[in-house]
């Protein structure tokens, strides 16, 4: 599985998104479509970006009863995206239902990635509000192992957790890691960040990069800088 840089298309609508992508001309970066853009434009924006030749991570973080998740995934598998995600907290039964819904008649399916604990949740809130009496690392590793046992392909996690997850789940279990910043760059609302170079050393398979590329003076140059540092 090759390493890649995924650009988070965190834009409010189609026009701004296509304007951003047009700067890349014949380059076709792997992109992430999240709730903001999907809820504004619907499945049509996914089809349009796919037709333009991009690989797509559809970041909708499903979390519901297994039957509902299975049916939602059966709708999403028709969009021909490359990666989708769900919350590991939905339990192994929900992960298995997602896989069933996601698998097309010919046996193909997008990669299924599980969110362990959101990077906006810290250990104190997890323990006090969610009543999970363990450390963040223990919880993240446990959720990763549950996801793997149920058949998921990998997890979304902080790059700083990627090494421990690879050690626990093996090198083929994918780590998709947001929270990447250039050295000296603005952290924004991310707490646990690292550079593309360090994310590579720590064993991330995919880095998800938003503002360091989308808000750069020259986004194409920032993307290429990420690629050079992370993929080589
Ligand atoms: O702009 P920035 O590089 O912080 O964007 C990171 C992207 O990754 C955003 O789209 C954010 O929603 C997403 N993400 C995250 N942390 C997670 C899961 C997804 O930052 N745990």
């Amino acid at each position: 599985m090759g390493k890649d840089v995924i650009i988070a298309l965190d834009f409010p609508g189609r026009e701004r998104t296509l304007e951003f992508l047009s700067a890349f001309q014949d380059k076709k970066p792997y992109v992430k479509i999240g709730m903001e853009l999907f809820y504004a434009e619907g499945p049509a924006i996914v089809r349009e970006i796919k037709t333009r030749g991009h690989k797509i991570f559809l970041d909708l973080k499903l979390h519901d009863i297994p039957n509902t998740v299975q049916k939602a995934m059966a709708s999403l598998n028709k969009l021909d995206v490359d990666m989708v995600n769900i919350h590991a907290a939905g339990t192994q039964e929900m992960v298995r239902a997602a896989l069933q819904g996601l698998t097309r008649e010919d046996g193909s399916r997008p990669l299924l990635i599980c969110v362990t604990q959101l990077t906006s949740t810290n250990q104190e809130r997890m323990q006090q509000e969610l009543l999970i009496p363990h450390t963040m690392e223990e919880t993240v590793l446990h959720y990763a192992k549950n996801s793997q046992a149920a058949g998921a392909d990998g997890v979304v996690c902080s790059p700083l957790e990627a090494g421990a997850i690879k050690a626990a789940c093996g090198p083929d279990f994918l780590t998709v890691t947001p929270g990447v910043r250039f050295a000296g760059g603005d952290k924004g609302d991310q707490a646990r960040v690292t550079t593309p170079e360090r994310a590579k050393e720590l064993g991330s398979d995919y880095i998800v990069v938003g503002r360091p590329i989308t808000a750069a003076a020259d986004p194409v140059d920032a993307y290429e800088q990420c690629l050079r540092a992370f993929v080589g």
Side-chain angles (χ1 to χ4, degrees):
M1 190 76 59
K3 287 181 183 286
D4 211 345
V5 174
I6 302 180
I7 304 178
L9 296 178
D10 293 328
F11 297 118
R14 175 178 180 274
E15 201 179 330
R16 179 74 192 88
T17 305
L18 297 187
E19 184 194 333
F20 171 81
L21 290 177
S22 65
F24 288 83
Q25 297 179 342
D26 53 343
K27 291 183 200 77
K28 301 293 175 190
Y30 202 141
V31 296
K32 176 172 92 68
I33 297 176
M35 294 185 203
E36 181 184 8
L37 185 56
F38 188 82
Y39 291 153
E41 301 289 351
I45 190 71
V46 179
R47 292 192 195 96
E48 185 167 5
I49 292 175
K50 189 77 198 175
T51 304
R52 291 167 71 108
H54 297 269
K55 291 181 93 171
I56 297 177
F57 169 20
L58 189 56
D59 176 20
L60 298 180
K61 299 188 180 71
L62 278 69
H63 188 180
D64 208 320
I65 59 171
N67 182 59
T68 302
V69 168
Q70 179 173 343
K71 298 211 164 119
M73 285 301 188
S75 296
L76 294 183
N77 87 35
K78 298 186 183 71
L79 287 176
D80 194 24
V81 297
D82 301 278
M83 187 187 290
V84 298
N85 63 357
I86 57 177
H87 275 280
T91 78
Q92 293 193 29
E93 194 189 349
M94 195 195 83
V95 178
R96 284 192 291 270
L99 280 170
Q100 266 183 17
L102 210 50
T103 305
R104 306 180 188 105
E105 272 182 20
D106 65 1
S108 67
R109 63 167 175 81
L111 292 172
L112 181 69
I113 303 296
C114 296
V115 177
T116 53
Q117 281 290 331
L118 292 170
T119 44
S120 53
T121 305
N122 65 23
Q123 182 166 298
E124 190 188 357
R125 287 196 203 115
M126 181 187 78
Q127 292 176 341
Q128 291 180 2
E129 294 186 33
L130 306 184
L131 280 186
I132 297 175
H134 296 277
T135 65
M136 180 60 82
E137 177 160 328
E138 284 166 349
T139 309
V140 165
L141 283 179
H142 184 66
Y143 282 28
K145 286 185 207 158
N146 280 349
S147 305
Q148 185 179 37
D153 300 294
V155 288
V156 182
C157 62
S158 159
L160 305 171
E161 291 152 3
I165 287 170
K166 291 280 184 186
C169 300
D172 296 336
F173 193 62
L174 300 172
T175 53
V176 179
T177 65
V180 173
R181 293 292 178 265
F182 292 121
D186 183 1
K187 285 209 286 189
D189 57 353
Q190 295 282 15
R192 303 183 66 213
V193 301
T194 193
T195 61
E197 290 84 354
R198 186 80 186 115
K200 179 181 185 179
E201 286 166 15
L202 290 166
S204 296
D205 294 288
Y206 297 92
I207 51 172
V208 177
V209 188
R211 288 160 291 183
I213 294 176
T214 57
D218 184 342
V220 179
D221 184 62
Y223 169 68
E224 286 178 343
Q225 206 181 313
C226 273
L227 269 185
R228 278 194 303 275
F230 184 68
V231 182

